[in-house]
Amino acid sequence: MRRLRARWSAVADRVEAGTPADRDRSVDALRALAILGVVLGHWLVTAITSSEGALATTSPLTRMPWLAPVSWVLQTLAVFFFVGGLVAARGHACARERGVPYGAWVGRRLSRLFRPVAAVLGLWTVAAGGMLLGGAAWETVHALLRLVLSPLWFLLVFAVLTAATPLAVRLHPVWPAAAVAAVDVWRFGFGGPEWAGWVNVAAGWLVPYSLGAAWARGRLDRRGPALALLAGGAAGTAVLVVWGGFPASMVGVPGAAVSNLNPPTSAAVAFGLAQCGLALLLRKPLARVVARPRVWAAVALLNLSAMTVFLWHQTAMMAVTALGLTSPVELPGLHTAPDSALWTAARLLWLPVFAAALAVCLAAFHAYERGGRGRPDGATAGAGDGGGFRPAGPARRQEASRV
């Protein structure tokens, strides 16, 4: 244990030494919290159960709606898009100052975004084929593939918004928010077609993304806008849930007539605005926390592995579940139906096991995400060009400090 602490201290010292003094570490901390929220949210509200020889997915929110407040804490996608808008706007501005063409800038960002996807698709193509050839039920393969592939919608939306960054920096967030409201009124008030809701997939997440672009322009540096976002967003969410008929859960619940997330509704947008306001208010406390070298190293390394964590956390959970099937008895919180508080308590005990499996995935696939580059020792944050870390050479230090 002492040796591990000494090794971690050495890594932390190298990361600290490679970080520019004027680095805004609170931005990286917000992104790390957003990533953790997504991962823990999926691990807690997704259950894989066995029935009649096939695996199926369900959610504890179906039978335990009182768990809806968990989604208020762990549905952090708005914060991720908020920080993404900030980072992209700053990165694009820096690229323009250096004379980098838009095509080169967006191509670099999108290639870094989608590069790790090939590994996930390749492995699961082989795995799905092997399961089918081995006699696994199609329902089982479909359920597992859906868990793996469903998060990829986020990457597609993020890619579109990244490509639209020059537009987002000129767009006031009120316009995409108004579009979401108009679509919701049409769908729920006048019986419009369900497909119209998918307009909100782009418009809904464009709200926090364009808000992040406004942050990059210095529009949200004062405390007043942050308080207004938090108070207004929270009040709007309460009104829409209590009197507007929108669900209390901020994630989709199987079997529910309406989902706040697929596609985003006005309630999800209002909730996201409140999250963005809270994120702004937390910047200074977070900056004090991540000023500690060991804490900063953890945040930096999580940002470095963000895509690997996002893409493989469901696989890690499924790997543990599959191994658990070898047990002669059903394992509480892993294979049992999520229908009681006991399941929730047991599930919490499985989280460290899921994390250990994810660490194995990180060890196997992180180098591929980084394009074969080596360890991040002595690395510096590079949120302006995608949120990762690069070796801290003089030129990289200058670029990272600017964005």
Side-chain angles (χ1 to χ4, degrees):
M1 183 63 68
R2 182 179 300 176
R3 182 177 298 177
L4 287 176
R5 285 197 298 265
R7 187 173 181 180
W8 176 247
S9 296
V11 171
D13 290 341
R14 285 194 290 271
V15 173
E16 178 74 19
T19 304
D22 55 352
R23 176 75 185 175
D24 188 350
R25 303 183 184 192
S26 65
V27 172
D28 300 277
L30 287 173
R31 180 170 37 228
L33 289 175
I35 295 168
L36 288 176
V38 170
V39 172
L40 293 176
H42 283 158
W43 285 351
L44 285 171
V45 303
T46 303
I48 303 175
T49 57
S50 177
S51 176
E52 299 180 356
L55 297 180
T57 59
T58 185
S59 170
L61 295 172
T62 302
R63 299 185 183 181
M64 295 181 284
W66 51 268
L67 285 176
V70 173
S71 70
W72 304 347
V73 177
L74 298 179
Q75 203 286 78
T76 51
L77 285 174
V79 177
F80 200 98
F81 279 101
F82 184 45
V83 174
L86 166 76
V87 167
R90 288 180 175 177
H92 182 246
C94 288
R96 292 182 61 186
E97 290 177 10
R98 299 194 306 271
V100 177
Y102 164 78
W105 173 79
V106 75
R108 181 185 180 191
R109 290 181 65 87
L110 294 185
S111 65
R112 187 175 302 123
L113 189 66
F114 285 113
R115 178 184 179 86
V117 175
V120 176
L121 295 179
L123 183 143
W124 274 99
T125 298
V126 174
M131 285 188 288
L132 290 173
L133 291 174
W138 165 247
E139 292 78 6
T140 294
V141 177
H142 179 265
L144 298 181
L145 287 178
R146 186 175 181 181
L147 279 180
V148 173
L149 299 180
S150 59
L152 297 185
W153 72 263
F154 160 83
L155 296 182
L156 295 176
V157 176
F158 198 83
V160 170
L161 296 184
T162 297
T165 296
L167 172 64
V169 298
R170 295 175 174 84
L171 184 69
H172 196 289
V174 71
W175 297 115
V180 173
V183 169
D184 281 354
V185 170
W186 186 22
R187 289 174 63 203
F188 304 123
F190 296 96
E194 286 298 315
W195 59 259
W198 295 105
V199 173
N200 288 355
V201 174
W205 299 119
L206 183 55
V207 175
Y209 192 88
S210 58
L211 197 63
W215 181 11
R217 300 195 304 274
R219 300 289 182 86
L220 303 177
D221 290 341
R222 294 179 292 108
R223 188 175 177 85
L227 290 171
L229 285 170
L230 176 58
T237 304
V239 168
L240 290 168
V241 169
V242 176
W243 290 288
F246 289 93
S249 172
M250 289 300 143
V251 298
V253 179
V258 178
S259 167
N260 275 324
L261 193 58
N262 300 309
T265 63
S266 296
V269 170
F271 181 75
L273 293 176
Q275 285 185 313
C276 293
L278 180 60
L280 290 169
L281 293 173
L282 288 175
R283 284 184 64 200
K284 288 185 177 179
L286 284 174
R288 289 193 292 269
V289 173
V290 295
R292 304 168 184 171
R294 289 163 181 77
V295 177
W296 168 240
V299 169
L301 295 177
L302 178 56
N303 275 270
L304 173 67
S305 308
M307 282 296 296
T308 307
V309 169
F310 178 79
L311 290 171
W312 292 96
H313 72 279
Q314 296 281 58
T315 298
M317 179 184 71
M318 286 185 281
V320 173
T321 304
L323 288 174
L325 290 173
T326 61
S327 170
V329 297
E330 283 190 326
L331 300 175
L334 195 63
H335 307 128
T336 53
D339 54 5
S340 69
L342 290 177
W343 183 93
T344 304
R347 187 65 161 195
L348 291 173
L349 297 178
W350 283 106
L351 296 186
V353 185
F354 296 160
L358 180 56
V360 174
C361 294
L362 283 172
F365 297 104
H366 175 60
Y368 181 81
E369 175 183 346
R370 306 315 304 168
R373 285 180 289 268
R375 295 169 57 188
D377 297 347
T380 186
D385 60 5
F389 291 79
R390 299 290 187 276
R396 178 63 63 178
R397 284 176 181 270
Q398 181 180 6
E399 179 183 351
S401 64
R402 294 172 65 190
V403 297

